[in-house]
Amino acid sequence: MGEFINNASMLLVLVCLVIGFVLLIKGADFFVEGSSSVAKRLHVPSIIIGLTIVAMGTSLPETAVSVSASLTGNNELAVSNVVGSNIFNLMVVIGVCAILATVDVAKETITRDIPLSLICAALLAILGISGIGDKSGMTLGHLDGVILIGCFAGYIFYMIKIALKASKEGKKVEFEGCSDEEIKVVSLPLSILYIVGGIIAIAFGGDLTVDAASRIASDLGMSQTLIGLTIVSIGTSLPELVTSIVAARKNEVDMALGNAIGSNVFNILMVLGIASAISPISLIRENIIDLCVLIVFTISVWIFAGTKRRIARNEGICMIVFYAIYAVYIVMR
């Protein structure tokens, strides 16, 4: 596929990039639907399905892109895709929601989820700078990947534990906008077809996206970091943006911030954990700067959310403005 992309016209490369995004997004949807159906047939509680299969499914496009980029040596794209998606989710997705409808913030989001997201971003920066598991400098090595995956497993276990406890106490438990009624049960053959087809689409879409993005960066004289922070990260985050806009129009944005923060935790721990465990990822100075920006933006949202436990329209506008300033900065640097 790489050879085909390298010899294709720029118009065809752009078409391939769009096709790659579609395959990633629809492949993730099919995989989640098939896996959730099988889990439901095995009588797995909906809470666990929502906190594992459904929640992880939203990060499958970023996982495919980062793993493909890591395996092909496009390390800048592997990291910038995750960091860019996190920044976009935080500032644009939530910012747009806040502009359309006030975003109410749960107490747990302020006291638990946002601090955890900050810790994950700081951990990634520390592991990358220290180069644990690799002697070549700023690198996420195999050991770093194992550490991130271990933290991810602990996070999932913790979330399931508190969700089950809340459920036993009769409290309403929400997760990734997925309820018991929304988990469809289809026939076993169709479930298997969805799972296999979803995996194939995700794998092919990841390769296609990475190859097309690398070609665009090469032809336009842009760095892979810039492509990852803009085109690729926005493309893989479009489902979250569309879902949030639809929810805002229905005035159902209560979970918007919690879902964005949760997705950011998954992206760092799961996506980069898997990618670096498979193949070491080298970090450059710009990656560390972008991580620092992510940390600053997260703290800003924490302040917005913590003032009155809601994010209002004027704060949403500020978030969009912050992202626009950052976008100008990464284009100019």
Side-chain angles (χ1 to χ4, degrees):
M1 181 56 66
E3 185 176 348
F4 170 77
I5 293 293
N6 289 333
N7 295 325
S9 65
M10 180 55 71
L11 179 60
L12 186 56
V13 172
L14 291 173
V15 172
C16 288
L17 182 66
V18 173
I19 293 174
F21 285 144
V22 172
L23 288 173
L24 284 171
I25 294 165
K26 297 308 295 181
D29 288 343
F30 280 125
F31 176 81
V32 168
E33 187 171 345
S35 301
S36 299
S37 177
V38 171
K40 194 71 175 175
R41 282 180 174 275
L42 296 175
H43 305 293
V44 177
S46 298
I47 291 174
I48 296 179
I49 296 174
L51 289 171
T52 55
I53 297 171
V54 177
M56 286 188 283
T58 60
S59 293
L60 284 177
E62 286 88 353
T63 304
V65 169
S66 291
V67 170
S68 297
S70 178
L71 289 173
T72 55
N74 297 308
N75 290 325
E76 295 176 36
L77 186 59
V79 177
S80 59
N81 164 52
V82 168
V83 178
S85 290
N86 282 13
I87 292 174
F88 186 84
N89 284 341
L90 197 62
M91 305 306 287
V92 177
V93 174
I94 301 305
V96 169
C97 273
I99 291 172
L100 296 176
T102 299
V103 177
D104 293 321
V105 183
K107 180 182 177 181
E108 291 78 9
T109 301
I110 300 171
T111 59
R112 181 192 65 205
D113 298 338
I114 297 180
L116 183 59
S117 178
L118 280 170
I119 291 172
C120 289
L123 175 63
L124 178 60
I126 291 170
L127 290 177
I129 293 172
S130 63
I132 297 175
D134 196 289
K135 298 179 180 179
S136 59
M138 292 201 302
T139 303
L140 288 175
H142 296 298
L143 179 58
D144 300 314
V146 172
I147 292 173
L148 292 174
I149 292 174
C151 292
F152 175 69
Y155 171 71
I156 290 294
F157 178 78
Y158 171 71
M159 294 300 292
I160 290 175
K161 183 179 178 181
I162 62 174
L164 290 175
K165 180 181 178 182
S167 181
K168 286 181 180 178
E169 293 174 353
K171 297 178 182 178
K172 184 179 179 182
V173 180
E174 296 179 321
F175 42 83
E176 290 291 334
C178 179
S179 65
D180 187 69
E181 295 77 13
E182 291 175 332
I183 299 176
K184 299 177 182 178
V185 179
V186 297
S187 66
L188 188 58
L190 188 57
S191 296
I192 295 173
L193 180 62
Y194 279 174
I195 293 170
V196 174
I199 291 173
I200 293 173
I202 291 168
F204 187 73
D207 285 339
L208 195 60
T209 300
V210 170
D211 290 339
S214 299
R215 167 69 191 279
I216 293 171
S218 175
D219 281 18
L220 298 181
M222 302 168 67
S223 68
Q224 289 188 21
T225 299
L226 178 56
I227 290 292
L229 289 170
T230 53
I231 298 174
V232 178
S233 65
I234 292 173
T236 54
S237 296
L238 281 179
E240 286 88 350
L241 178 60
V242 172
T243 301
S244 296
I245 290 175
V246 171
R249 287 181 174 177
K250 295 180 179 179
N251 200 28
E252 299 174 352
V253 295
D254 294 359
M255 292 175 62
L257 181 58
N259 285 347
I261 295 296
S263 179
N264 285 5
V265 172
F266 273 56
N267 284 348
I268 291 176
L269 298 183
M270 184 183 84
V271 176
L272 287 180
I274 293 173
S276 56
I278 294 174
S279 179
I281 302 174
S282 298
L283 276 70
I284 59 176
R285 183 175 61 88
E286 283 78 7
N287 295 142
I288 303 301
I289 293 174
D290 295 327
L291 271 172
C292 292
V293 171
L294 173 60
I295 291 172
V296 171
F297 281 170
T298 305
I299 293 173
S300 300
V301 173
W302 196 8
I303 294 171
F304 288 156
T307 49
K308 296 181 180 178
R309 283 184 55 182
R310 64 185 178 86
I311 300 178
R313 176 173 294 178
N314 59 334
E315 293 166 329
I317 293 173
C318 287
M319 292 163 70
I320 298 295
V321 171
F322 288 164
Y323 183 83
I325 293 172
Y326 170 69
V328 171
Y329 160 69
I330 60 175
V331 169
M332 294 180 62
R333 74 180 180 189

